[in-house]
Amino acid sequence: MEAEVIKAELVLPTHMSFKRIQMYEKYPKGQSKVRWKQLKQILQAEICQNYSPDEPNYVNIDSPPSMQPCKRICDITGFEAPYHDPRTNLRYANTDVFKLVRSLPNEYVQRYLALRKAAVVLR
Amino acid sequence: MFRAWTWAEQIDHPILITECVCNPVQSRSKMAELLFETYGVPSVAFGVDAAFSYKYNQQRGICQKDSLAICPGFTTTHVIPFVDGEPVYRGCCRTNIGGYHVTDNLKQLLSLKYPHHMARFTWEKIEDLKMEHCYIAPDYAVEARLFQKGSKEAEDKTRCWQLPWVPPPIEEPPSEEEIARKAAIKERQGQRLREMAEAKRSSRINELENQLHGLEFLLQQLAQVEEEEISSFLSKTGYVSKQEIESTLTKVSQSLRKAKGELKVEQAENEEKADSSTSDKYPLINVPDNMLTPEQLKEKKRQIFLKTTTEGRQRAKQKRFEEELEREKKTREDEERRLENPELYLEQMRTKYKELYEKVEQRKRLKTNGGHANGNSSGGVGRGERLNAAQKERMRLLTTAAFDRGKGEDNFGAKDEDWQLYKLMSKDNDDDDDGADEDEAELARVCSRLQAIDPTFVPKLEPTPSQAATTEVPRVRPLTKEDFQVVLGVERFRCPEILFHPNLVGIDQAGLDEMTEASIRRLVSKNEALEDRLTSSIFMTGGCSLFPGINERLEAGIRMLRPCGSPIKVARALDPVLDAWRGASAYAANLQFQQQTFSRVDYYEKGEDWLRRYQLRYTL
């Protein structure tokens, strides 16, 4: 590599003397596609392990669902929302907000719903 | 940094790595493998970052040795009870909400509220905004009501971010010289045009006069010539008969007079002549039928037809004229009313406009209700189409046609009259339209009137669903400074609220205050003194604990859940963001640190199960 590039420290040097196994040894063809496991997969593996239920593990220590009643706030303004629009499934606080709700195009409705994970996911 | 490392041949010191609470054994083993195999580290220790932060602060007296550590982090929030300085993981509690979710929520809300500034809302900028402006309200409902009322305190709490904006260059009103110069140029052009027109006219007049003279001369010659030689004489000049010459003469003299500008008088004369000659033009009308020959009858019919059409035309003209007068009178009265009481008039106009607008809007909405419905709700589709009276009628016809005919037998169409049904049902026969048109015309008239006289009037444009990105009035007025302002009002305390109510973003887990209760419950100690000791020293660390107002809110929340009178004290770490590193570095500098690490030999001999159970001892 050119001296300027190394000096600028933009790119990692190819040979690092403190490493036992270098990158080019591990990935001779230069593919170096590091595949990290997703959290879901790790959790699956954890669940499969037979741990005793007393011991704390990653899945164990999850919080329980909330005991308090669900707080309903307006999706658009953030005020308290006693009302709910059956057509779009949005919560709204008063009539002005309702007019806005009814005039929103569908894309925006879905984005507002996605904020509280209530959007219709077509997958 | 790497340059320094290139000098060392290998890493010859132990490594201390922080991990999350109850790290899955797979992550741990992968990390250990990486460190031992690839980097050749002699020994490794894993520790929880919150515990290091706690230890650091305990040594400085911020918290006691029995304490409850609350660590709202980036993607998760942990609550860990510490008894005798060591964490008790059995009582640990984790919610999957952190600073990342707060920032993401703020970003989405702002992008939805200001779609045209979406490009400005980058992740980094929103993080900055969050750190600078977000706070936690002591009571969400009270705060929200404050903003809903729009009180002065709410105004003070609203922050406004002005985006860079360049005002469009204002065209200065042209200066005096400009106006004078332009006027002079126009004058000169006008003069030139007039001269040209004048020249053309005079040349034409000359031409016509010449023609006239020629024709007169010809007539004179004709008078002198004798009868027999007329035809030969005429053939030389090109005219067929004397009448022709005379008619050409009159035409030429007429056009001459026109060219000389006696036009209008002529027209009036002509009209009068036309009127008076109606009786002459239709001589046969007044003659009774039985005295005419068949040809003359035909002629008479034609004349009657012509007369009625011209009379009809005249009557229409008259009516139009009268209507014009009527309208002028009305506008004059309107003007008088306006001049004598401008305020009242304006008010009346505005209310009339509003009423009409509402009516038209409602009718339009009723009509297009079916097409308006969003696709995801099943109940809305089709229902809007049946609300109208005409449409109800249509449905009734359809159903009766289908079922009323033979009982059980479908012989619709056997009779020809059945098909007339479709004529009745035709959508084109919506007679709502007539009423709507009148209202719309009235509305347009009132609108234009208001625009003319009221400087502050802005016509309300209808929001159609096809209006793409904006939910506000399309820019019919020039952009102002306010269009480039991003207002942070309710969002300031709405976004951090999700730390206490993850339900707001759809995550069904406990918030910060309930987590402490859950953690204490999980300890299963039944030792009230211990519980009191825990709550009397609640330690907050982690980046999210920097929100203003979080301490008070947490205290209030925990007080609601604990038995009355239990001591509650919340303390924040000295530096919530970096104390974990400081604690870990202090720990690693300790002489006893080596005993807490495990080496490669241990790792291979003792296996994964041992690795799972491996825990640091934090009190050295």
Side-chain angles (χ1 to χ4, degrees), chain B residues 5 25 36 59 64 78 178 199 239 291-292 295 321 339 481 487 580 619:
Chain B
W5 281 17
V25 68
F36 287 132
Q59 277 150 19
Q64 317 303 321
H78 289 99
E178 285 273 331
Y239 291 102
M291 291 177 49
L292 296 170
E295 286 177 355
F321 189 61
L339 287 171
K481 190 164 121 188
V487 176
T619 324

Side-chain angles (χ1 to χ4, degrees), chain B residues 413-421:
Chain B
K415 296 182 270 186
D416 271 337
E417 295 89 53
D418 295 343
W419 301 112
Q420 305 292 335
L421 198 66

Side-chain angles (χ1 to χ4, degrees), chain B residues 49-110:
Chain B
D49 47 356
F52 289 130
S53 174
Y54 162 79
K55 271 324 251 208
Y56 183 77
N57 281 281
Q58 188 202 3
Q59 277 150 19
R60 278 156 190 68
I62 306 280
C63 45
Q64 317 303 321
K65 69 174 168 64
D66 292 331
S67 161
L68 199 63
I70 302 184
C71 178
F74 189 59
T75 44
T76 53
T77 302
H78 289 99
V79 172
I80 311 168
F82 281 83
V83 176
D84 271 338
E86 292 296 314
V88 181
Y89 293 125
R90 211 179 51 238
C92 182
C93 196
R94 180 196 74 238
T95 300
N96 300 322
I97 281 270
Y100 166 80
H101 300 90
V102 177
T103 311
D104 190 50
N105 200 19
L106 182 61
K107 185 162 180 278
Q108 302 286 359
L109 278 175
L110 284 181

Side-chain angles (χ1 to χ4, degrees), chain B residues 481-497:
Chain B
K481 190 164 121 188
E482 277 74 30
D483 290 326
F484 281 78
Q485 283 174 351
V486 172
V487 176
L488 295 170
V490 183
E491 293 83 15
R492 280 183 72 197
F493 60 91
R494 178 180 172 181
C495 297
E497 186 67 24

Side-chain angles (χ1 to χ4, degrees), chain B residues 12 17 33 87 106 138 141 143 223 290 333 335 353 368 434 454 483 581 619:
Chain B
D12 52 4
I17 288 204
E33 191 183 309
L106 182 61
E143 201 83 4
N290 48 10
E333 283 178 9
E335 269 301 308
Y353 176 75
T368 62
D434 301 342
D454 186 4
D483 290 326
W581 185 87
T619 324

Side-chain angles (χ1 to χ4, degrees), chain B residues 118-277:
Chain B
M118 225 192 289
R120 290 241 170 225
F121 299 136
T122 61
W123 178 267
E124 290 75 23
K125 182 68 193 174
I126 300 286
E127 283 255 345
D128 286 339
L129 282 179
K130 174 188 89 169
M131 287 193 267
E132 210 184 309
H133 299 289
C134 281
Y135 67 96
I136 292 193
D139 185 351
Y140 184 84
V142 166
E143 201 83 4
R145 240 169 283 148
L146 208 64
F147 274 80
Q148 205 169 2
K149 268 192 298 213
S151 63
K152 176 93 178 25
E153 295 149 3
E155 295 265 334
D156 293 335
K157 289 191 186 168
T158 310
R159 302 268 172 97
C160 189
W161 170 29
Q162 172 76 50
L163 294 169
W165 168 74
V166 174
I170 34 169
E171 297 137 14
E172 295 163 11
S175 61
E176 292 286 325
E177 305 132 29
E178 285 273 331
I179 300 174
R181 200 158 34 97
K182 283 211 181 96
I185 293 176
K186 237 189 265 185
E187 185 63 40
R188 250 179 286 140
Q189 273 178 338
Q191 189 70 24
R192 220 182 308 147
L193 282 169
R194 256 173 291 167
E195 281 170 13
M196 277 188 347
E198 196 57 47
K200 226 197 290 187
R201 205 168 70 110
S202 52
S203 71
R204 181 158 156 73
I205 287 174
N206 277 346
E207 224 178 81
L208 285 170
E209 274 182 0
N210 286 343
Q211 216 178 352
L212 195 69
H213 286 320
L215 283 170
E216 279 175 359
F217 184 61
L218 205 62
L219 271 176
Q220 276 176 1
Q221 274 193 326
L222 203 63
Q224 287 168 8
V225 162
E226 292 185 11
E227 279 284 335
E228 303 86 20
E229 295 187 8
I230 285 182
S231 47
S232 61
F233 179 72
L234 280 175
S235 60
K236 267 197 277 179
T237 54
Y239 291 102
V240 175
S241 66
K242 190 166 176 210
Q243 284 95 349
E244 207 187 315
I245 302 183
E246 281 181 357
S247 61
T248 352
L249 190 80
T250 44
K251 257 192 256 172
V252 169
S253 48
Q254 230 182 26
S255 36
L256 191 67
R257 258 183 290 169
K258 218 193 280 185
K260 287 202 183 145
E262 293 162 56
L263 187 64
K264 287 218 170 106
V265 180
E266 279 289 305
Q267 267 193 350
E269 285 177 12
N270 279 344
E271 270 188 35
E272 285 172 18
K273 260 192 257 171
D275 285 341
S276 59
S277 63

Side-chain angles (χ1 to χ4, degrees), chain B residues 64 136 279 295 320 328 378 396 399 432 517 558 606:
Chain B
Q64 317 303 321
I136 292 193
S279 44
E295 286 177 355
R320 251 180 291 143
E328 279 186 20
S378 50
R396 192 188 66 81
T399 46
D432 251 355
E517 189 60 19
I558 295 176
K606 300 177 188 172

Side-chain angles (χ1 to χ4, degrees), chain B residues 288-530:
Chain B
D289 274 347
N290 48 10
M291 291 177 49
L292 296 170
T293 64
E295 286 177 355
Q296 281 180 322
L297 270 171
K298 254 193 275 178
E299 185 65 28
K300 180 178 176 184
K301 269 199 210 123
R302 195 177 70 87
Q303 284 176 1
I304 292 176
F305 173 72
L306 280 174
K307 182 166 178 201
T308 42
T309 42
T310 44
E311 276 183 6
R313 232 179 289 142
Q314 275 176 357
R315 250 180 286 137
K317 216 195 295 181
Q318 187 73 4
K319 213 188 348 181
R320 251 180 291 143
F321 189 61
E322 279 175 11
E323 273 182 14
E324 190 68 38
L325 280 177
E326 195 55 47
R327 226 178 298 153
E328 279 186 20
K329 202 166 69 158
K330 253 206 207 152
T331 46
R332 244 182 299 133
E333 283 178 9
D334 232 18
E335 269 301 308
E336 284 172 20
R337 241 194 312 147
R338 183 171 86 86
L339 287 171
E340 68 186 19
N341 193 355
E343 282 299 319
L344 186 62
Y345 181 75
L346 212 60
E347 275 307 310
Q348 284 175 338
M349 289 302 267
R350 279 202 207 115
T351 43
K352 208 181 343 167
Y353 176 75
K354 222 197 286 190
E355 282 170 23
L356 280 170
Y357 184 75
E358 290 289 335
K359 237 198 286 179
V360 168
E361 271 297 294
Q362 204 174 29
R363 199 170 287 131
K364 230 183 270 199
R365 236 176 294 140
L366 274 178
K367 253 202 247 179
T368 62
N369 234 346
H372 224 292
N374 292 308
N376 58 343
S377 61
S378 50
V381 175
R383 216 195 296 143
E385 289 183 351
R386 306 199 192 143
L387 292 178
N388 216 340
Q391 287 149 347
K392 269 195 216 141
E393 181 65 23
R394 206 182 300 141
M395 287 309 295
R396 192 188 66 81
L397 281 171
L398 272 174
T399 46
T400 51
F403 293 114
D404 251 16
R405 299 268 146 207
K407 301 273 192 283
E409 265 188 46
D410 182 24
N411 49 2
F412 177 82
K415 296 182 270 186
D416 271 337
E417 295 89 53
D418 295 343
W419 301 112
Q420 305 292 335
L421 198 66
Y422 283 98
K423 266 207 208 146
L424 291 167
M425 285 197 320
S426 158
K427 271 202 179 177
D428 299 330
N429 286 350
D430 243 342
D431 32 71
D432 251 355
D433 280 352
D434 301 342
D437 287 342
E438 259 178 37
D439 275 337
E440 279 177 13
E442 181 73 18
L443 184 67
R445 211 179 51 79
V446 172
C447 185
S448 55
R449 190 97 183 85
L450 271 173
Q451 263 179 327
I453 58 179
D454 186 4
T456 66
F457 177 70
V458 174
K460 279 188 254 182
L461 294 157
E462 299 115 34
T464 54
S466 56
Q467 227 177 45
T470 57
T471 49
E472 49 186 45
V473 176
R475 302 270 158 72
V476 290
R477 49 184 167 75
L479 296 175
T480 65
K481 190 164 121 188
E482 277 74 30
D483 290 326
F484 281 78
Q485 283 174 351
V486 172
V487 176
L488 295 170
V490 183
E491 293 83 15
R492 280 183 72 197
F493 60 91
R494 178 180 172 181
C495 297
E497 186 67 24
I498 65 176
L499 289 173
F500 286 90
H501 284 103
N503 286 316
L504 292 178
V505 279
I507 293 180
D508 194 15
Q509 285 188 300
L512 273 181
D513 33 11
E514 286 188 83
M515 268 164 71
T516 56
E517 189 60 19
S519 167
I520 292 177
R521 236 184 331 184
R522 279 183 187 176
L523 264 186
V524 195
S525 61
K526 295 213 178 38
N527 185 351
E528 284 201 14
L530 175 64

